[in-house]
Amino acid sequence: MKPLGGQPPEQFVADFFTTFTEAVVHGSEEAADLMARYYTRDVVQVADGVRLDWDRLVAHLRPVRRNLTAFRFEVHEALADGNRIAARFTIHAQLRKGGPVTTQVHMFAEFTPDGLLRRAEQLTRAVDPAEPTEPAEPTEPTEPTEPAEPAEPADPELQR
């Protein structure tokens, strides 16, 4: 994987996960060899409190390879500080059985200088595929309106 370098962090995150997942789904490379191109051997990824080390991540690739038919990563925002990245993105996936799955991810990650993922903390949430993945654009505030004048009674008898 390429290092972050001068690349915008949103692009780095999108490229990292897209090229990795593309190789998992469409490649024939052994899972461990593939992992070595994207992750450090001492990787620790904690997703929703579940700790995944190298062996558990390699094992996770087998069902992904069998079940994922299409995918897209939509990076909403990412910030970088050296080799650390905070990102918010959505994974749009199509499974062989079960249909579409949409997952929002909030991630804090550390990469090596050469672009390998060393550590990641992720919080995820399943999203209804029909739900927008970006918040609605804020609307322009409207000018406050003046209170209406009280209406004159129509019946002159009521005016007394």
Side-chain angles (χ1 to χ4, degrees), residues 123-140:
L123 294 174
T124 68
R125 148 180 117 81
V127 178
D128 181 328
E131 182 181 330
T133 55
E134 273 294 319
E137 288 293 319
T139 58
E140 290 294 320

Side-chain angles (χ1 to χ4, degrees), residues 33-99:
D33 294 338
L34 176 59
M35 281 277 300
R37 290 193 298 121
Y38 290 87
Y39 293 83
T40 63
R41 193 75 172 100
D42 63 342
V43 65
V44 173
Q45 181 173 311
V46 179
D48 300 324
V50 177
R51 186 180 192 277
L52 302 171
D53 61 10
W54 175 271
D55 293 333
R56 290 187 72 183
L57 284 166
V58 169
H60 176 67
L61 294 186
R62 291 180 188 98
V64 170
R65 195 168 255 172
R66 280 193 312 271
N67 298 320
L68 189 63
T69 61
F71 61 90
R72 178 172 60 87
F73 291 90
E74 180 182 3
V75 180
H76 307 294
E77 55 190 334
L79 300 170
D81 180 18
N83 289 329
R84 296 179 306 158
I85 293 180
R88 184 175 63 84
F89 57 95
T90 303
I91 304 168
H92 302 275
Q94 180 68 42
L95 302 179
R96 197 170 307 286
K97 296 179 183 176

Side-chain angles (χ1 to χ4, degrees), residues 5-6 19 21 25 35 45 58 65 74 94 97 101-102 108-109 114 116 150-151 157:
T19 60
T21 306
V25 173
M35 281 277 300
Q45 181 173 311
V58 169
R65 195 168 255 172
E74 180 182 3
Q94 180 68 42
K97 296 179 183 176
V101 174
T102 303
F108 293 93
D114 58 343
L116 301 179
E157 289 293 314

Side-chain angles (χ1 to χ4, degrees), residues 103-118:
T103 307
Q104 266 187 354
V105 180
H106 295 188
M107 176 185 78
F108 293 93
E110 178 188 346
F111 292 84
T112 63
D114 58 343
L116 301 179
L117 182 65
R118 171 177 287 135

